[in-house]
C-alpha cells in the first residue's frame, strides 16, 4: 500500500529510488538538445546574426541621407564597382547633396554639391585624406599626405618652395627634352610602325607624362631604363588604388601587383635621394625637385649648426623655411606622392587635350598662332616662364579641359571622429566621406552650358570669378601643391605639340564616352595618327 501511495502521490524528488536516476534523465535531455545543434545549425545561426548586424549597421549609418534602402549582404555594390561607370556616378551625385553606399566593411558617404564638398575639404579637425584603403599599404602610413597637424605642416612648409615661379623655371629644360624625345617617338610609331593607321595613344600619353614627372622630380639620378620600368609598372599601382578594390593584399590580386610595383618605386627613389644628397653636399647645382628640397635641408642644417654654436648669423643666411634633414626613405615617400598626384591626372588631361584639339581645329589653330606669336615666329625658341605666362588663350584651353573633363572627380577622406556634416546628419567615425569635384565643375549656374567645351569662357566670360566651383585641385589645408606646375606643364606640352606636330583623331562610337580608371579617359583610349609638321 505504501508503495502505491509513493507511486501515486509522492513527487519524484521525494522518492529516494527515483532521485538516483534523476541526473541521468536531465543529462539525457541536454545531450538530446546538444545533438540537435550541429555545426551547420551553428554556422547558419552565426551567418544570420552577422547578416542582420550588417544590415542594421548600414541602416543606422545611413540615417536620413540618400542611398539604397538595403545593402547587398556583406559585399555591397562591390561587383558593380569593379567596373565603374560614369553614368552611375552621375546618378549618385543627382540623388542628393549627401548619399551613401557600403562596400564590405566600409561605409562611404558621397558629398555631391559644391558646398558639401568644400565643407569636407575644409574640415581637417574631422577628416583626413585617406585616398583608398590600399593607399596606406602602398604609399606607407607614415607618408606626409596622411599626417595631421604639426607633422603635416613640418613637411609642407619645406615643400611649398619647390613650386615657386623660380623653381618651375628650373625644371623646364628637362621637361622640354622629354617632350622632344616622345614627340619624335609618336611620329615614328604612327608613320613607320603603324603605316599611317590610327592607334590608341592613351598608354603612350601615360608613359610620356610619367617620364616628364620623373625627370622633373628626380632628374637624371634615374636611368632611362628606370624611367621606362616605372612608367610600365605604374599602371599596376593605379589599378591597385581604384576606389573599390579587394580589401586584402592577396597574391595575384591588383593590390598585390600594385604593392610590388610601389616597393620598386620607393627603392629607386631612395637610391636617387642618396645620390642627390652626395651631389648637393658637394655644392652641385639643383636640377630637379629632389635636388632643390635636399639643398634646402643642407642650408637649414648649416644655419642651425651656427645658431647652436652661438655664432652670429647674417639674417640673409637664414633659409626661408628652416627644415630638418629628412631620411632617404622619407624623401622617397614624398616624391612618390608627387608622382601619384601627377601621373594619372596629367595622363588624363593630356589624352583629352590631344583629342579635343584634333576635333576642334579652330581651337588648335588659335593655340598654334599664339605659341608662334610669343616666340616671334620661331618655333624653336625654348620654354621659359615668361613665354608660358603670355599664353592667354592656351591657358584658357587648359583650364577648360580641366573643367570639362576633370582628372580628379573626387577625393576620399577618412572621418576621424563623428562629423556633423549637416544639422540633421552626422558622419560616423571610421567612415569614408568623398567630396566630389565633378558636379561643381559642371554647375550650369557657374558655367553656362557646362557640357560644351568653350575656352573663351575663361577670357570673355566670368569663369575666372567662380573660384568656389574651381575644385580641380581641391581646397583647404590639403590642396594640391603642384597646381601651378601641372597647368604650366600642360601649357608647355600642347603649345610645343601644336608647332611641331600634326595629328588626326579617328573617332569611334565611344570616343566621347567616359571611362573611369582612377581618373577619366576616352572610352576607346583616343585613336590618333601623328605626323611631323613642316617648318
Amino acid at each position: 500500500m505504501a508503495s502505491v501511495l509513493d507511486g501515486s502521490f509522492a513527487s519524484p524528488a521525494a522518492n529516494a529510488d527515483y532521485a538516483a536516476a534523476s541526473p541521468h534523465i536531465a543529462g539525457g535531455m541536454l545531450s538530446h538538445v546538444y545533438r540537435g545543434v550541429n555545426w551547420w545549425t551553428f554556422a547558419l545561426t552565426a551567418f544570420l546574426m552577422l547578416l542582420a548586424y550588417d544590415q542594421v549597421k548600414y541602416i543606422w549609418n545611413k540615417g536620413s541621407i540618400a542611398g539604397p534602402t538595403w545593402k547587398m549582404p556583406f559585399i555591397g555594390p562591390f561587383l558593380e564597382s569593379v567596373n565603374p561607370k560614369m553614368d552611375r556616378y552621375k546618378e549618385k551625385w543627382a540623388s542628393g547633396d549627401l548619399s551613401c553606399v557600403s562596400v564590405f566593411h566600409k561605409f562611404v558617404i558621397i558629398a555631391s554639391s559644391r558646398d558639401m564638398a568644400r565643407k569636407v575639404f575644409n574640415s581637417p579637425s574631422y577628416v583626413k585624406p585617406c585616398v583608398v584603403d590600399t593607399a596606406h599599404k602602398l604609399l606607407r602610413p607614415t607618408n606626409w599626405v596622411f599626417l595631421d597637424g604639426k607633422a603635416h605642416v613640418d613637411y609642407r612648409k619645406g615643400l611649398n618652395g619647390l613650386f615657386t615661379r623660380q623653381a618651375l623655371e628650373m625644371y623646364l629644360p628637362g621637361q622640354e627634352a622629354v617632350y622632344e624625345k616622345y614627340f619624335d617617338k609618336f611620329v615614328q610609331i604612327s608613320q613607320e610602325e603603324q603605316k599611317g593607321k590610327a592607334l590608341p595613344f592613351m598608354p603612350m600619353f601615360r608613359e610620356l607624362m610619367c617620364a616628364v614627372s620623373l625627370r622633373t622630380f628626380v632628374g637624371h639620378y634615374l636611368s632611362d631604363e628606370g624611367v621606362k620600368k616605372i612608367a610600365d609598372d605604374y599602371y599596376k599601382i593605379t589599378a591597385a588604388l581604384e576606389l573599390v578594390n579587394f580589401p586584402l593584399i592577396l597574391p595575384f590580386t591588383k593590390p598585390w601587383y600594385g604593392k610590388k610595383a610601389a616597393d620598386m618605386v620607393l627603392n629607386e627613389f631612395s637610391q636617387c635621394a642618396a645620390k642627390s644628397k652626395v651631389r648637393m653636399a658637394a655644392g652641385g647645382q639643383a636640377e630637379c625637385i629632389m635636388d632643390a628640397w635636399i639643398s634646402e635641408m643642407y642650408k637649414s642644417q648649416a644655419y642651425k649648426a651656427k645658431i647652436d654654436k652661438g655664432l652670429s648669423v647674417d639674417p640673409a643666411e637664414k633659409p626661408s623655411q628652416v627644415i630638418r634633414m629628412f631620411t632617404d626613405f622619407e624623401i622617397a615617400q614624398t616624391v612618390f606622392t608627387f608622382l601619384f598626384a601627377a601621373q594619372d591626372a596629367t595622363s588624363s588631361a593630356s589624352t583629352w587635350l590631344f583629342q579635343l584639339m584634333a576635333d576642334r581645329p579652330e581651337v588648335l589653330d588659335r593655340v598654334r598662332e599664339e605659341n608662334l606669336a610669343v616666340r616671334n615666329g620661331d618655333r624653336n625658341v625654348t620654354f621659359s616662364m615668361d613665354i608660358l605666362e603670355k599664353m592667354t588663350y592656351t591657358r584658357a584651353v587648359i583650364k577648360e579641359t580641366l573643367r570639362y573633363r576633370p582628372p580628379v572627380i573626387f577625393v576620399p577622406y577618412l572621418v576621424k571622429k563623428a562629423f556633423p556634416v549637416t544639422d540633421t546628419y552626422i558622419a560616423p567615425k571610421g567612415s569614408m566621406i568623398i567630396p566630389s569635384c565633378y558636379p561643381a565643375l559642371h554647375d550650369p549656374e557657374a558655367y553656362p552650358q557646362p557640357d560644351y567645351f568653350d575656352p573663351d569662357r575663361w577670357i570673355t566670360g566670368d569663369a575666372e570669378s567662380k573660384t568656389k566651383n574651381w575644385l580641380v585641385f581641391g581646397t583647404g589645408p590639403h590642396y594640391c601643391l603642384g597646381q601651378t606646375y601641372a597647368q604650366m606643364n600642360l601649357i608647355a606640352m600642347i603649345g610645343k605639340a601644336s608647332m611641331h606636330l600634326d595629328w588626326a583623331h579617328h573617332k569611334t562610337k565611344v570616343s566621347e564616352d567616359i571611362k573611369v580608371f582612377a581618373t577619366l579617359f576616352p572610352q576607346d583610349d583616343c585613336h590618333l595618327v601623328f605626323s611631323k609638321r613642316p617648318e
Side-chain angles (χ1 to χ4, degrees):
M1 183 67 180
S3 63
V4 171
L5 289 172
D6 284 344
S8 302
F9 300 105
S11 70
N15 188 319
D17 294 333
Y18 191 81
S22 209
H24 297 291
I25 294 172
M29 291 173 64
L30 291 174
S31 176
H32 178 74
V33 172
Y34 179 77
R35 284 197 303 271
V37 181
N38 57 35
W39 283 108
W40 285 109
T41 305
F42 177 79
L44 178 60
T45 303
F47 173 79
L48 292 174
M49 290 176 66
L50 288 172
L51 182 64
Y53 172 77
D54 189 48
Q55 295 296 333
V56 170
K57 184 180 180 184
Y58 166 72
I59 294 169
W60 178 266
N61 286 338
K62 176 180 178 294
S64 60
I65 65 176
T69 304
W70 302 94
K71 174 188 175 183
M72 182 181 292
F74 306 118
I75 66 172
F78 171 70
L79 297 177
E80 174 188 310
S81 303
V82 169
N83 184 25
K85 303 292 185 184
M86 191 64 182
D87 288 345
R88 297 307 301 271
Y89 283 124
K90 289 181 178 179
E91 288 174 10
K92 268 292 177 191
W93 294 326
S95 68
D97 288 355
L98 292 175
S99 59
C100 68
V101 294
S102 182
V103 183
F104 290 116
H105 64 294
K106 185 64 69 177
F107 183 71
V108 181
I109 304 154
I110 301 163
S112 301
S113 69
R114 179 199 71 183
D115 293 339
M116 284 293 102
R118 291 185 66 87
K119 182 166 187 175
V120 177
F121 280 129
N122 288 288
S123 298
S125 60
Y126 290 102
V127 299
K128 66 176 182 178
C130 67
V131 192
V132 292
D133 281 350
T134 53
H136 288 81
K137 301 179 180 73
L138 270 63
L139 302 177
R140 303 298 193 272
T142 55
N143 200 299
W144 77 286
V145 296
F146 302 130
L147 301 180
D148 271 335
K150 185 178 182 301
H152 180 80
V153 172
D154 284 346
Y155 269 91
R156 197 174 189 98
K157 70 182 182 181
L159 300 177
N160 284 326
L162 305 179
F163 297 96
T164 62
R165 186 182 188 281
Q166 181 181 359
L168 295 179
E169 184 95 52
M170 178 175 68
Y171 313 141
L172 290 176
Q175 293 167 6
E176 187 158 25
V178 174
Y179 286 131
E180 289 173 352
K181 174 182 176 181
Y182 274 84
F183 288 171
D184 287 342
K185 189 173 182 179
F186 290 176
V187 173
Q188 178 190 357
I189 291 172
S190 290
Q191 301 303 320
E192 297 180 18
E193 297 179 17
Q194 290 296 114
K195 307 299 183 184
K197 291 178 61 179
L199 180 76
F201 259 85
M202 184 272 277
M204 285 303 305
F205 293 140
R206 284 182 62 87
E207 183 179 326
L208 163 65
M209 301 316 293
C210 189
V212 170
S213 295
L214 290 171
R215 287 290 174 243
T216 302
F217 301 155
V218 302
H220 287 275
Y221 298 119
L222 189 65
S223 66
D224 288 344
E225 292 75 21
V227 169
K228 185 70 168 66
K229 174 65 174 170
I230 292 176
D232 288 345
D233 282 7
Y234 200 89
Y235 189 90
K236 298 172 185 175
I237 297 173
T238 300
L241 292 174
E242 288 179 303
L243 181 61
V244 176
N245 228 319
F246 197 74
L248 301 175
I249 296 183
L250 299 177
F252 311 113
T253 60
K254 289 181 183 179
W256 185 77
Y257 284 114
K259 178 69 163 56
K260 289 173 70 69
D263 290 345
M264 179 271 292
V265 172
L266 286 168
N267 180 59
E268 291 283 355
F269 284 177
S270 295
Q271 294 180 47
C272 291
K275 295 173 186 176
S276 178
K277 282 183 176 179
V278 171
R279 186 166 169 271
M280 291 300 100
Q285 183 71 30
E287 296 177 352
C288 61
I289 282 179
M290 186 177 280
D291 282 347
W293 191 25
I294 290 173
S295 178
E296 289 303 309
M297 293 179 203
Y298 278 117
K299 289 177 184 178
S300 295
Q301 188 180 64
Y303 172 78
K304 286 188 287 187
K306 289 183 179 180
I307 295 297
D308 291 344
K309 291 177 182 178
L311 300 176
S312 177
V313 181
D314 189 322
E317 291 184 41
K318 183 179 179 180
S320 57
Q321 294 290 343
V322 179
I323 58 177
R324 67 179 174 87
M325 181 64 69
F326 292 90
T327 67
D328 295 349
F329 191 71
E330 286 175 324
I331 295 169
Q333 283 182 302
T334 304
V335 174
F336 191 10
T337 64
F338 293 165
L339 181 62
F340 170 69
Q343 172 58 16
D344 292 313
T346 56
S347 297
S348 167
S350 60
T351 303
W352 286 111
L353 261 175
F354 277 104
Q355 176 167 311
L356 290 166
M357 295 299 94
D359 293 345
R360 294 161 178 79
E362 71 284 358
V363 174
L364 178 54
D365 286 344
R366 288 179 65 181
V367 168
R368 184 175 289 131
E369 289 168 8
E370 181 177 69
N371 274 264
L372 287 169
V374 298
R375 292 175 171 84
N376 296 317
D378 184 358
R379 69 178 187 175
N380 295 313
V381 172
T382 56
F383 295 157
S384 72
M385 288 301 291
D386 284 339
I387 284 177
L388 297 180
E389 288 169 348
K390 291 177 183 176
M391 297 181 193
T392 305
Y393 185 74
T394 308
R395 176 181 174 276
V397 169
I398 299 305
K399 293 204 73 169
E400 181 65 354
T401 301
L402 296 175
R403 184 206 65 80
Y404 181 67
R405 292 290 184 262
V408 178
I409 57 175
F410 43 61
V411 184
Y413 278 73
L414 177 69
V415 179
K416 299 186 293 183
K417 60 182 179 180
F419 178 18
V421 189
T422 69
D423 293 338
T424 59
Y425 184 74
I426 298 175
K429 178 183 177 181
S431 61
M432 181 186 288
I433 188 165
I434 303 177
S436 304
C437 307
Y438 189 96
L441 293 163
H442 284 254
D443 180 356
E445 292 186 12
Y447 308 107
Q449 294 182 282
D451 294 324
Y452 176 67
F453 182 82
D454 179 19
D456 282 312
R457 75 171 81 235
W458 299 94
I459 301 172
T460 58
D462 64 352
E464 285 287 359
S465 68
K466 308 301 181 181
T467 53
K468 286 190 174 182
N469 285 73
W470 183 247
L471 296 180
V472 172
F473 299 99
T475 187
H478 289 275
Y479 75 91
C480 178
L481 276 174
Q483 58 181 300
T484 302
Y485 157 75
Q487 291 177 83
M488 287 298 178
N489 189 14
L490 292 168
I491 289 170
M493 178 199 71
I494 202 65
K496 189 173 186 68
S498 71
M499 296 182 297
H500 292 269
L501 297 174
D502 285 319
W503 64 94
H505 177 216
H506 288 235
K507 293 184 180 181
T508 70
K509 292 180 180 179
V510 294
S511 291
E512 291 299 319
D513 294 344
I514 296 173
K515 174 172 66 175
V516 182
F517 179 65
T519 180
L520 307 183
F521 291 100
Q523 189 70 48
D524 63 0
D525 291 340
C526 190
H527 291 239
L528 297 174
V529 177
F530 283 91
S531 60
K532 230 179 220 321
R533 185 170 179 80
E535 292 281 354

